[in-house]
């Protein structure tokens, strides 16, 4: 997947083990308003184009970027990560430590929920313990797994009900302790920029095992971000209205829509003024073949920036348990072709979640090179059944991803592997 700057929030850093192509560029296009166009900009409304509908609005159990983006419009993280290892205050004024093991979160004392109640340390403690409860379905458990008393999935063990050493110091201060010293930047990224605090006074009576089915995760009605949720018309649009009491300042635009559409429609929608911008991070990028056309539009401004996101392909280890088979398939993929043809040279090949833009990249690591002969021999050595058919699932909406899948299928067939491509 890819991470980019976005409007109105920065897309979350998304770390998933990868053996795919990483794009180095962001294309963000902002269009002027059209006249007399359905959905065009008015003085009080912004329309943002995206291609991925949200997987849900559960702040602790939404793994897709489309859903996370939609949530960040109405709920704030403690910090925003504006660039690699660069953080700015949001719900928290700071996350500090003196020994890299005991950390203190200082909440913005002005922060409040849309029902008028203040955001407090009780909300933070409630959220952390809800995530850690073994009965709660979550996608962010690993983000807090460094805390004392939690296993590798971020869950409490031995029947414990509360995270040890997670303490409310005062109304706006929370402290927690990690099992061993941890880099502050890791805590700021994994917890500071990714954990979303929820209102205890609204959710405290919902059983942890029922939270993922609650009304709140379908339509969050008490939030703390710049916009309030209004409605979601499935696969069509998400409607928000301004939170005029937002603790960081009243939004300038009263109404905000995220319009969901097919990627090929983004350019025409920008040109007509039906949308004023498109999201990025892989959920609203203009197809690369439309970039040159977009640059020529008088009412559209395009920007390309380096970024640290990546495209990823995941293997089902239950159906492909042999690591040698998975490695062979990696050798079979012509990733340079994807970079050259689909990204127009605007990318680089990496093995893992880190790019040349990331401070975490181990530059001594050699990437797997395209070698179909070696791939086929490795499959033979691993005892691969060439009569077996791989089920290749491809989420639709991201045109580069869809076209990448076509190339990968061709690569697999070239070494004798049967593949059935399923678009979802």
């Amino acid at each position: 997947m890819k991470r980019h700057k976005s409007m109105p929030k920065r897309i979350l850093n998304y770390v998933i083990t990868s053996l795919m192509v990483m794009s180095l560029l962001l294309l963000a296009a902002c269009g002027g308003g059209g006249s007399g166009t359905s959905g065009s900009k008015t003085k009080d409304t912004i329309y943002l184009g995206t291609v991925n509908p949200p997987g849900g609005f559960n702040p602790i159990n939404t793994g897709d970027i489309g859903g996370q983006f939609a949530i960040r419009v109405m709920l704030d993280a403690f910090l925003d990560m504006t660039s690699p290892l660069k953080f700015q205050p949001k719900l928290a004024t700071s996350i500090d430590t003196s020994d890299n093991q005991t950390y203190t979160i200082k909440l913005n004392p002005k922060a409040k929920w849309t029902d008028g109640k203040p955001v407090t340390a009780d909300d933070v403690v409630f959220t952390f313990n809800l995530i850690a409860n073994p009965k709660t379905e979550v996608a962010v458990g690993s983000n807090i797994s460094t805390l004392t008393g939690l296993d590798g999935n971020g869950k409490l063990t031995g029947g414990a009900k509360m995270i040890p050493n997670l303490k409310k110091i005062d109304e706006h201060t929370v402290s927690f302790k990690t099992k061993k010293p941890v880099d502050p930047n890791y805590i700021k990224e994994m917890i500071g920029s990714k954990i979303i605090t929820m209102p205890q006074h609204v959710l405290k009576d919902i059983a942890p095992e029922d939270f993922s089915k609650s009304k709140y995760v379908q339509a969050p009605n008490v939030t703390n971000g710049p916009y309030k949720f209004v409605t979601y018309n499935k696969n069509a649009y998400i409607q928000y209205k301004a939170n005029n009491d937002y603790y960081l300042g009243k939004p300038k635009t009263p109404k905000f829509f995220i319009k969901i559409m097919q990627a090929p429609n983004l350019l025409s929608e920008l040109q007509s003024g039906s949308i004023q911008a498109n999201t990025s991070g892989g959920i609203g990028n203009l197809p690369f073949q439309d970039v040159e056309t977009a640059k020529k539009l008088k009412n559209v401004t395009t920007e390309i920036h380096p970024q640290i996101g990546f495209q990823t392909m995941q293997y089902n280890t239950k159906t492909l348990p042999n690591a040698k088979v998975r490695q062979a398939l990696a050798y079979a993929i012509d990733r340079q072709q994807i970079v050259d043809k689909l990204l127009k040279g605007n990318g680089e090949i990496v093995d893992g979640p880190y790019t040349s833009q990331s401070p975490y990249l181990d530059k001594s690591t050699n990437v797997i090179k395209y070698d179909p002969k070696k791939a086929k021999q490795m499959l033979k050595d691993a005892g691969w059944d060439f009569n077996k058919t791989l089920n290749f699932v491809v989420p639709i909406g991201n045109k580069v991803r869809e076209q990448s899948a076509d190339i990968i299928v061709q690569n697999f067939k070239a070494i004798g592997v049967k593949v059935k491509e399923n678009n979802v």
Side-chain angles (χ1 to χ4, degrees):
M1 295 186 179
K2 297 183 258 184
R3 194 189 82 171
H4 307 269
K5 289 181 180 179
S6 57
M7 294 181 62
K9 297 284 184 182
R10 188 173 181 83
I11 292 294
L12 300 176
N13 183 29
Y14 212 66
V15 180
I16 300 177
T17 302
S18 165
L19 284 172
M20 264 302 298
V21 173
M22 199 295 299
S23 168
L24 278 177
L25 298 182
L26 153 69
L27 178 99
C30 299
S35 58
T37 303
S38 176
S40 63
K41 181 181 178 181
T42 64
K43 291 182 179 180
D44 66 352
T45 309
I46 288 178
Y47 294 88
L48 191 73
T50 187
V51 299
N52 282 32
F57 301 109
N58 187 332
I60 60 175
N61 194 37
T62 297
D64 67 290
I65 300 180
Q68 292 175 8
F69 184 90
I71 290 168
R72 287 301 185 90
V73 173
M74 51 186 167
L75 283 160
D76 283 348
F78 297 115
L79 307 171
D80 264 352
M81 190 167 75
T82 56
S83 61
L85 305 186
K86 299 294 182 182
F87 303 91
Q88 70 179 25
K90 187 54 78 67
L91 190 62
T93 58
S94 65
I95 298 180
D96 293 321
T97 182
S98 59
D99 61 2
N100 290 358
Q101 193 165 8
T102 298
Y103 284 83
T104 301
I105 300 174
K106 289 278 189 180
L107 295 174
N108 188 322
K110 296 181 180 180
K112 59 181 178 180
W113 300 104
T114 50
D115 62 1
K117 295 186 181 297
V119 178
T120 70
D122 291 323
D123 297 313
V124 177
V125 172
F126 166 79
T127 300
F128 276 56
N129 281 316
L130 182 62
I131 295 171
N133 192 303
K135 295 181 180 179
T136 310
E137 296 177 7
V138 300
V140 295
S142 61
N143 292 64
I144 64 170
S145 61
T146 54
L147 273 62
T148 55
L150 304 183
D151 62 18
N153 295 316
K155 293 297 185 180
L156 290 161
T157 60
K161 302 296 183 183
M162 308 286 283
I163 300 173
N165 302 306
L166 174 66
K167 301 176 181 178
K168 170 185 174 181
I169 306 301
D170 58 40
E171 284 301 299
H172 298 104
T173 309
V174 174
S175 70
F176 61 84
K177 188 175 182 179
T178 58
K179 301 165 192 172
K180 58 184 180 180
V182 177
D183 185 340
N185 283 321
Y186 181 87
I187 295 297
K188 289 179 180 179
E189 180 175 349
M190 301 304 289
I191 292 178
S193 71
K194 295 182 180 181
I195 297 299
I196 301 296
T197 300
M198 297 180 296
Q200 181 193 36
H201 65 285
V202 175
L203 307 174
K204 62 182 179 180
D205 294 329
I206 300 175
E209 61 269 29
D210 296 331
F211 184 74
S212 63
K213 298 175 289 185
S214 66
K215 291 182 179 179
Y216 186 85
V217 305
Q218 299 173 38
N221 60 335
V222 177
T223 53
N224 57 29
Y227 284 87
K228 302 177 184 181
F229 179 84
V230 176
T231 189
Y232 172 43
N233 188 322
K234 189 174 182 180
N235 297 329
Y237 64 84
I238 310 169
Q239 181 182 356
Y240 304 89
K241 64 180 179 181
N243 176 8
N244 292 333
D245 295 322
Y246 184 46
Y247 65 101
L248 294 180
K250 177 182 176 181
K252 294 181 179 180
T253 306
K255 301 176 184 178
F256 179 59
F257 286 79
I258 297 177
K259 292 181 66 177
I260 302 159
M261 63 194 69
Q262 292 295 311
N265 295 339
L266 287 169
L267 182 63
S268 60
E269 293 274 320
L270 283 166
Q271 187 173 12
S272 68
S274 294
I275 60 174
Q276 285 71 58
N278 56 288
T279 58
S280 53
I283 61 170
N285 292 355
L286 283 178
F288 270 88
Q289 59 266 31
D290 291 341
V291 172
E292 292 306 315
T293 303
K295 288 181 178 179
K296 297 175 183 177
L297 297 176
K298 293 182 179 180
N299 68 323
V300 171
T301 300
T302 62
E303 296 179 356
I304 297 178
H305 300 285
Q307 50 92 26
I308 63 174
F310 56 94
Q311 291 282 352
T312 182
M313 185 178 77
Q314 301 177 18
Y315 295 108
N316 185 331
T317 56
K318 290 184 178 180
T319 56
L320 293 174
N322 190 331
K324 291 296 183 182
V325 169
R326 300 195 298 269
Q327 188 178 37
L329 294 176
Y331 277 109
I333 301 173
D334 189 352
R335 295 183 286 177
Q336 192 61 51
Q337 183 183 12
I338 296 173
V339 171
D340 294 341
K341 289 191 173 182
L342 302 186
L343 302 180
K344 309 300 182 183
N346 297 313
E348 66 181 2
I349 296 172
V350 295
D351 287 336
Y354 303 122
T355 76
S356 59
Q357 297 293 310
S358 174
Y360 299 123
L361 177 66
D362 182 355
K363 296 182 179 179
S364 66
T365 302
N366 295 321
V367 299
I368 294 176
K369 295 182 179 180
Y370 173 55
D371 192 337
K373 290 183 179 180
K374 182 174 182 176
K376 191 168 186 177
Q377 187 59 52
M378 287 182 68
L379 288 176
K380 290 179 180 179
D381 294 342
W384 175 256
D385 180 3
F386 284 89
N387 291 315
K388 181 178 181 178
T389 299
L390 286 179
N391 185 31
F392 192 32
V393 180
V394 183
I396 61 174
N398 182 327
K399 190 58 62 177
V400 170
R401 179 172 58 209
E402 293 174 26
Q403 294 173 341
S404 297
D406 294 337
I407 291 175
I408 294 169
V409 168
Q410 293 171 9
N411 292 158
F412 287 168
K413 288 182 177 179
I415 62 170
V417 175
K418 296 181 179 180
V419 186
K420 180 182 179 182
E421 183 176 347
N422 292 311
N423 295 324
V424 295

